[in-house]
Amino acid sequence: TGWPSYAQLGADGEIVIAHLDDGLKISTRTVRGQGSWNYKTLMGPAGATDISWPSIITSGPDHNYIHMSASTYTAYQGLDLALLYYRSLDGGLNWDKSEVILPQMTSADYDGFNGDEYAWGTPHGDTIYFVVSGPWIDTFIMKSDDNGENWTKIPILSNAYKKLAPGVTDLAPFTMSDGSAACEMDNSGIIHVAFGIGGGFLQGSTPYILVNKNGLVYWNTTMPMLQDSLNLDTLEAHGQLLGYVSDGPNPNDTITDAPSYRVGLSSFPQISIDAYNNKYFLWSAVAPGNPSPDPYNFRHLIGRAWFHDKASWGDMIDFNGDFTYIYTEFVYPAMAKNILNDNLEVIYQTSGQPGSATATSTATVPVPIHDVNIDHRQIPGSSFWPTAIGNHADAGSNFVSQNYPNPVTGDTRIRIHLEESCLVT
């Protein structure tokens, strides 16, 4: 089994769907963390039974509606590969929608999809939605306002090479999504999307992907479609450059080399939105300076927020920038959608070795097989508050806040307001 996707099932239960060598394994139990698991196997369509890379959400008043996207492992219905939609209204006992290729996702629209190029957002009543994004496909949202009966396609970024003309054997490198994406609807019904920048090229009729390109894109459903150039300056001018990696001003703050995770330098985005409509974004990015002995730069977890009462983005924050995290790789973050008590709950993979031994790497030195951990961290929402001195501080006297939390064990925080920038002790 592999590639598990997890969700609440029923009032107190849980469901995990993972792929097998052939088909999907469905594991359920009525009380999360307790009791025995119940198992079922779900096979794909005839001729493509090995469906893989499942991604699920549950919805409904009792979380008993299951919605799943999954890819075939072989060509199906003229697509290589096909992206299928499944729905169960009874907790997985039956699937009333099975093996469905949604409108505008057929072989008339695309040559095919790759595994894991899609991500669900949190349901809002009967409104469900997911984002699709990759180097050789468009980036778009599929949205249903009637629990999966009918679907609307919302375009974000068009890919000129999603359908290659017969006889085309070579294409110069082009910029597109890197295939990592996240989406989330806010309390006003606006869907927010983040995806990494990648691209591809065609050589001898074989499609390839571009890795370690720079930039993480932001878009929402109030905006027009993105320009296919994904120029960083243009994105920045329109408030659509969520994240990026840059060399520092001295040799200790440079990018030496970055092993490939088959994505961009800033990638694996996550989005969570709280009850006040504050939007929190988290991703993994190559960090300047501090290279490993390979020498490779490590990846850190980077965050950024858009607060509901502010007119612009907050600063990018490196959550692994201090000495505690030196010589540690942080990648594959997964952030809980619910934000309780102003805390973001995150799990991620760490190791003392940058890069993945199993992912294709274009770096100079191969990545060795190495031990990894899956760690959990609680990040207070207040960690995203700005701490730098900007150019638009409110007029008034200097002040220093009471530290918080107080009393404290471990770290505490102090807010400082200055009329003019200066050194602070």
Side-chain angles (χ1 to χ4, degrees):
T1 57
W3 227 265
S5 188
Y6 175 94
Q8 178 180 347
L9 184 64
D12 302 302
E14 55 192 345
I15 179 171
V16 178
I17 300 184
H19 66 221
L20 299 163
D21 287 339
D22 198 14
L24 300 176
K25 174 68 75 174
I26 303 173
S27 308
T28 63
R29 56 183 176 182
T30 55
V31 179
R32 64 182 181 273
Q34 300 179 24
S36 301
W37 291 93
N38 301 302
Y39 300 109
K40 294 184 70 174
T41 299
L42 178 66
M43 304 303 293
T49 57
D50 189 12
I51 47 177
S52 302
W53 301 291
S55 179
I56 63 171
I57 55 165
T58 58
S59 66
D62 56 359
H63 283 273
N64 214 35
Y65 303 157
I66 305 170
H67 306 272
M68 179 176 70
S69 298
S71 294
T72 61
Y73 204 74
T74 56
Y76 179 69
Q77 294 292 313
L79 290 162
D80 188 20
L81 310 163
L83 179 53
L84 308 177
Y85 170 66
Y86 290 75
R87 184 183 73 174
S88 172
L89 299 178
D90 55 10
L93 297 176
N94 300 283
W95 297 87
D96 70 319
K97 294 189 180 298
S98 179
E99 308 163 4
V100 178
I101 297 177
L102 294 177
Q104 301 182 64
M105 295 178 63
T106 70
S107 59
D109 309 290
Y110 298 98
D111 286 335
F113 299 84
N114 285 315
D116 209 36
E117 292 183 332
Y118 37 88
W120 288 92
T122 301
H124 285 234
D126 283 338
T127 298
I128 59 174
Y129 54 96
F130 61 93
V131 62
V132 183
S133 185
W136 288 93
I137 56 175
D138 296 331
T139 296
F140 57 94
I141 295 168
M142 295 301 294
K143 178 173 177 276
S144 171
D145 292 316
D146 53 11
N147 198 39
E149 291 293 336
N150 299 282
W151 292 85
T152 299
K153 185 179 185 179
I154 304 173
I156 300 174
L157 176 67
S158 179
N159 191 327
Y161 307 116
K162 60 193 173 191
K163 287 285 293 182
L164 293 178
V168 174
T169 59
D170 293 278
L171 287 173
F174 60 89
T175 301
M176 197 50 55
S177 165
D178 70 352
S180 72
C183 65
E184 192 68 6
M185 179 183 287
D186 68 18
N187 304 327
S188 304
I190 299 170
I191 301 176
H192 304 262
V193 175
F195 65 90
I197 293 180
F201 63 95
L202 191 69
Q203 190 173 75
S205 300
T206 300
Y208 294 90
I209 63 172
L210 297 178
V211 301
N212 286 348
K213 289 184 69 66
N214 200 8
L216 188 71
V217 180
Y218 166 80
W219 185 89
N220 69 49
T221 47
T222 70
M223 296 177 171
M225 287 183 64
L226 293 164
Q227 297 181 15
D228 59 9
S229 66
L230 295 181
N231 178 272
L232 297 192
D233 290 336
T234 302
L235 293 169
E236 175 73 15
H238 290 86
Q240 295 171 326
L241 183 60
L242 174 60
Y244 56 90
V245 171
S246 61
D247 281 356
N250 59 68
N252 294 325
D253 292 327
T254 59
I255 303 297
T256 303
D257 200 352
S260 167
Y261 284 93
R262 298 181 61 82
V263 292
L265 295 177
S266 299
S267 199
F268 306 117
Q270 297 284 287
I271 308 173
S272 295
I273 301 175
D274 68 14
Y276 305 100
N277 241 18
N278 299 317
K279 294 93 180 170
Y280 298 94
F281 298 79
L282 193 73
W283 64 91
S284 171
V286 175
N290 187 30
S292 69
D294 295 306
Y296 290 145
N297 291 83
F298 288 93
R299 280 181 174 261
H300 289 180
L301 296 183
I302 310 297
R304 199 173 191 183
W306 189 299
F307 293 103
H308 73 279
D309 57 348
K310 303 298 180 185
S312 61
W313 286 103
D315 295 331
M316 287 192 294
I317 300 170
D318 185 343
F319 287 109
N320 308 120
D322 63 47
F323 189 78
T324 306
Y325 306 107
I326 196 169
Y327 303 130
T328 305
E329 179 87 331
F330 292 84
V331 71
Y332 304 126
M335 185 163 63
K337 298 294 187 179
N338 292 332
I339 302 175
L340 302 179
N341 302 320
D342 192 39
N343 289 317
L344 284 72
E345 306 289 347
V346 186
I347 59 173
Y348 44 83
Q349 180 176 295
T350 66
S351 70
Q353 168 68 53
S356 167
T358 58
T360 301
S361 176
T362 59
T364 307
V365 182
V367 175
I369 295 174
H370 55 277
D371 292 336
V372 301
N373 298 316
I374 302 297
D375 296 342
H376 163 261
R377 180 174 176 182
Q378 190 177 77
I379 301 177
S382 57
S383 301
F384 290 80
W385 292 354
T387 56
I389 304 302
N391 297 322
H392 307 286
D394 295 332
S397 60
N398 302 324
F399 69 83
V400 179
S401 76
Q402 167 69 46
N403 71 302
Y404 62 94
N406 185 15
V408 61
T409 299
D411 294 335
T412 191
R413 297 175 182 275
I414 299 170
R415 297 197 74 180
I416 301 173
H417 180 281
L418 302 173
E419 292 190 69
E420 297 179 5
S421 59
C422 65
L423 295 176
V424 175
T425 301

